[in-house]
């Protein structure tokens, strides 16, 4: 008992590690290999397509990157707790129409956005409840939701695009200005990174995916964690769709969809999030999204045709995953 | 040895945990049919029995994970309803489970504070990583567990080290009634020896009551003050460890097998 109050012990810290060891740790972080890939790609495209690092192109790039990164923030949380949301691209398309409907019945734009996000959160809640309480794998729950929401969006829009409401300066903040959507993406990445690394919610999400029994035995309500992360993902998806609607000025009932959803998942996975759950990084998702964006943008600048592009993206995802898994194996083999 | 045990028994503090007439059914299966147990501070009780004898069910009732269909539980002399793991924990009851209840992908210190995280002051309720690291090192040193770096992921530790972390976590969180589920299973002799040494140190403090579930008669008799044998959801034998032997316990179980074979 007396030992507890020993002042010498209270201040004890782990021994300082050498700079080389710290650098080695940094180099072996799951995000590190992707950062290297991103830098190599920037150098390559700047050298081969000399208009890569121009303001106009960076703006294009940022717009391509923003949506997958925002969706990745949610998908990463879900992947960490061993779930996935295939319907987030559908919520992405639905949200602007809810906003438009709300606006048309006289609710001002901020209220209309809140209403749309509320509906998205509700979709996440339903997905979560079905998955957790009826034991339907989220892959299936959200596959069903995928078609269901597509149908709802097409029904309420009658299949026609809609103009985004005009709310003056708010339009610029929400995506009108060239880099607005990317700045939102960066802000959400920062927020979700803090949630994952520095809050109980994030820690419990990792514990839920890493060892659900252990988490439950420690008193963590894993159902609540999963449902919460479904709500976060759907809400982020809806918000992203709204940002996109403000950037483009109109919204299409077939916007988003599986393409944007898979880009979001791919961003997370390329960035080092384990498909098997229990580990992941939001920053990695940002870098993963940037890599995908650079590939698309760079090859477009080089004039590679659209069919070729999917081959390259597919190969890039495979290569990134192989590198990722090899890195993880390396880290595991390192002596302590 | 016998004298030391008897002496130790006399030193036991007041009763920490008592369960009486515990019944638990899962559908049509009666897992426990009127089980009783008790353990005092500074004492160690071993619960032996085959798979399906009801040991784990009893343990999960004592930790608030399951609720009994009948029976009463007294903690430190007062009758309590252990409606959840959190409730049991708030009464000082903590279990170190067989599956270790550690998350491999998280660091040692995160595991030690899982669901009891220390937070920084302020409205954002952010994790206080630094304080958790320091307190985790203190807690490990406190019970004589030597682990150089609490930042290590638990998945990279040996089975014995992980068991030690799990025990340290329980004790550190002010558990004074410690339930150990097969703490020595799947462990080599050296690692088992380290865990036994750790358990003896905890016992010597005198303020912790320990209940251990095990398969191995010899090991259990070696470390426990008292043992009870469970069969088919009831307690069929109870004795001070010094007054019985693995052979005697084995004979009781054998007799049962013979009876069952004989029909």
């Amino acid at each position: 008992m007396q030992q507890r109050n020993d002042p010498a012990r209270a201040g004890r810290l782990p021994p300082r590690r050498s700079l080389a060891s710290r650098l080695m740790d940094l180099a072996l972080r799951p995000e590190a290999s992707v950062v290297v890939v991103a830098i190599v790609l920037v150098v390559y495209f700047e050298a081969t397509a000399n208009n890569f690092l121009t303001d106009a192109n960076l703006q294009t790039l940022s717009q391509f990157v923003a949506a997958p990164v925002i969706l990745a923030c949610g998908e990463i949380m879900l992947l960490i707790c061993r779930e996935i949301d295939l319907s987030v691209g559908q919520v992405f398309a639905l949200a602007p129409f809810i906003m438009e409907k709300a606006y048309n019945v006289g609710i001002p734009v901020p209220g209309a956005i809140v209403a749309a996000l509320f509906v998205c959160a509700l979709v996440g809640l339903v997905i979560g409840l079905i998955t957790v309480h009826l034991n339907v794998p989220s892959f299936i729950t959200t596959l069903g939701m995928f078609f269901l929401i597509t149908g709802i969006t097409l029904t309420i829009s009658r299949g026609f695009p809609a103009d985004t409401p005009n709310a003056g300066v708010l339009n610029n903040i929400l995506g009108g200005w060239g880099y607005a959507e990317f700045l939102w993406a960066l802000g959400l990445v920062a927020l979700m990174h803090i949630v994952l690394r520095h809050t109980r919610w994030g820690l419990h999400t990792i514990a839920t995916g890493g060892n659900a029994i252990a988490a439950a035995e420690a008193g963590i309500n894993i159902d609540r964690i999963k449902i919460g992360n479904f709500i976060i993902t759907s809400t982020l998806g809806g918000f992203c769709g709204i940002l996109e609607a403000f950037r483009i000025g109109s919204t299409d009932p077939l916007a988003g969809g599986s393409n944007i959803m898979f880009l979001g998942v791919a961003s997370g996975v390329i960035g080092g999030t384990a498909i098997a759950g229990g580990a992941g990084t939001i920053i990695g998702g940002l870098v993963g999204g940037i890599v995908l964006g650079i590939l698309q943008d760079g090859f477009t600048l080089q004039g590679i045709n659209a069919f070729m592009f999917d081959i390259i993206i597919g190969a890039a995802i495979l290569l990134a995953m192989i590198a990722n898994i090899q890195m993880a194996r390396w880290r595991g083999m390192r002596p302590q | 040895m016998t004298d030391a045990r008897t002496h130790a028994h006399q030193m036991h503090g007041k009763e920490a945990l008592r369960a009486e007439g515990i019944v638990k059914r899962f559908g049509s299966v009666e897992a426990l049919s009127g089980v009783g147990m008790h353990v005092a501070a500074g004492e160690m009780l071993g619960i032996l029995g085959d798979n399906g004898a009801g040991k784990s069910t009893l343990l999960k009732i004592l930790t608030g994970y399951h609720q009994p269909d009948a029976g009463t539980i007294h903690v430190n002399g007062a009758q309590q309803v252990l409606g959840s793991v959190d409730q049991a924990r708030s009464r000082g009851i903590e279990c170190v489970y067989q599956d270790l209840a550690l998350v491999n992908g998280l660091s040692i210190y995160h595991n030690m504070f899982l669901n009891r995280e220390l937070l920084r002051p302020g409205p954002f309720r952010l994790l206080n990583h630094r304080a958790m690291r320091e307190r985790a090192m203190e807690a490990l040193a406190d019970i004589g567990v030597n682990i150089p770096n609490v930042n290590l992921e638990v998945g990279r530790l040996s089975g014995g080290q992980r068991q030690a972390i799990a025990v340290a976590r329980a004790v550190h969180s002010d558990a004074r009634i410690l339930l150990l589920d097969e703490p020595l299973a799947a462990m080599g002799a050296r690692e088992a020896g380290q865990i036994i040494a750790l358990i003896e140190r905890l016992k010597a403090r005198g303020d912790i009551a320990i209940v251990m579930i095990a398969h191995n008669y010899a090991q259990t008799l070696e470390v426990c003050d008292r043992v009870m044998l469970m069969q088919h959801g009831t307690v069929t034998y109870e004795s001070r460890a010094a007054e019985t032997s693995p052979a005697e316990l084995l004979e009781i179980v054998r007799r049962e097998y013979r009876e069952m074979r004989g029909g």
Side-chain angles (χ1 to χ4, degrees), chain B residues 33-45:
Chain B
S33 17
V35 170
M37 58 76 68
H38 61 95
V39 65
E43 185 191 25
M44 182 159 179
L45 168 72

Side-chain angles (χ1 to χ4, degrees), chain A residues 4 198 200 204 211 336, chain B residues 89 102 117 127 142 156:
Chain A
R4 282 203 174 187
H198 298 286
R200 300 182 75 206
H204 293 182
N211 185 347
Q336 290 169 20
Chain B
R89 194 172 272 163
L102 298 181
E117 296 82 0
L127 299 174
D142 228 27
R156 295 169 69 178

Side-chain angles (χ1 to χ4, degrees), chain A residues 72-78 80-81 186-207 224-225 228-233 236 280-283, chain B residues 106 110 117 119-120 123-129 132:
Chain A
C73 288
E75 294 285 3
I76 288 168
M77 296 298 280
L78 282 175
I80 291 174
C81 60
L186 288 183
L188 290 168
V189 162
L191 177 70
M192 292 308 292
H193 173 77
I194 290 170
V195 168
L196 180 60
R197 293 281 164 231
H198 298 286
T199 68
R200 300 182 75 206
W201 185 269
L203 200 60
H204 293 182
T205 297
I206 300 172
R224 199 177 127 244
I225 296 284
N229 282 322
F230 279 114
I231 294 174
I232 289 173
T233 305
L236 283 174
T281 117
I282 300 284
I283 305 288
Chain B
L106 289 178
H110 279 138
E117 296 82 0
L119 301 177
R120 283 193 237 174
F124 296 111
R125 300 173 51 78
L126 297 180
L127 299 174
N128 192 339
H129 295 285
M132 286 192 279

Side-chain angles (χ1 to χ4, degrees), chain B residues 7-206:
Chain B
H7 183 58
H9 185 74
Q10 283 160 353
M11 293 201 321
H12 297 159
K14 60 187 195 28
E15 186 174 273
L17 182 65
R18 169 179 290 274
E20 278 168 356
I22 300 291
V23 175
K24 179 67 186 174
R25 294 182 205 92
F26 295 104
S28 61
V29 180
E30 194 167 85
L32 297 176
S33 17
V35 170
M37 58 76 68
H38 61 95
V39 65
E43 185 191 25
M44 182 159 179
L45 168 72
I47 303 180
L48 290 160
D50 286 331
N51 289 325
K55 297 174 305 204
S56 291
T57 307
L58 176 61
L59 204 70
K60 286 191 164 150
I61 284 172
L62 298 177
T63 56
Y65 193 86
H66 289 321
Q67 275 65 56
D69 295 312
T72 56
I73 294 170
H74 290 78
V75 183
N76 296 323
Q79 188 172 335
Q80 304 282 2
V81 173
L82 307 175
S84 70
V85 173
D86 278 343
Q87 233 169 53
R89 194 172 272 163
S90 71
R91 313 251 182 268
I93 303 172
E94 186 92 25
C95 183
V96 178
Y97 280 102
Q98 202 169 3
D99 44 48
L100 286 174
L102 298 181
V103 180
N104 283 345
L106 289 178
S107 69
I108 292 171
Y109 78 90
H110 279 138
N111 268 289
M112 287 189 64
F113 283 93
L114 193 58
N115 206 26
R116 274 177 291 227
E117 296 82 0
L118 302 178
L119 301 177
R120 283 193 237 174
F124 296 111
R125 300 173 51 78
L126 297 180
L127 299 174
N128 192 339
H129 295 285
R130 192 192 159 88
M132 286 192 279
R133 264 194 289 267
E134 287 174 6
R135 296 264 301 271
M137 295 205 60
E138 278 173 52
L140 288 171
D142 228 27
I143 60 166
V145 176
N146 182 25
I147 288 188
N149 183 358
V150 291
N151 291 319
L152 280 179
E153 280 183 15
V154 157
R156 295 169 69 178
L157 302 177
S158 73
Q161 283 175 317
R162 291 197 289 173
Q163 187 83 57
I165 303 280
V167 170
R169 168 167 79 179
V171 174
H172 170 66
S173 63
D174 278 334
R176 292 301 168 256
I177 299 167
L178 198 57
L179 311 175
L180 307 175
D181 188 7
E182 300 271 8
L184 305 172
M187 222 170 263
R190 218 184 105 222
E191 290 208 301
Q194 284 166 356
I195 294 299
I196 290 172
L198 170 59
I199 291 172
E200 305 255 286
R201 280 199 295 277
L202 295 180
K203 218 165 72 174
R205 287 171 44 148

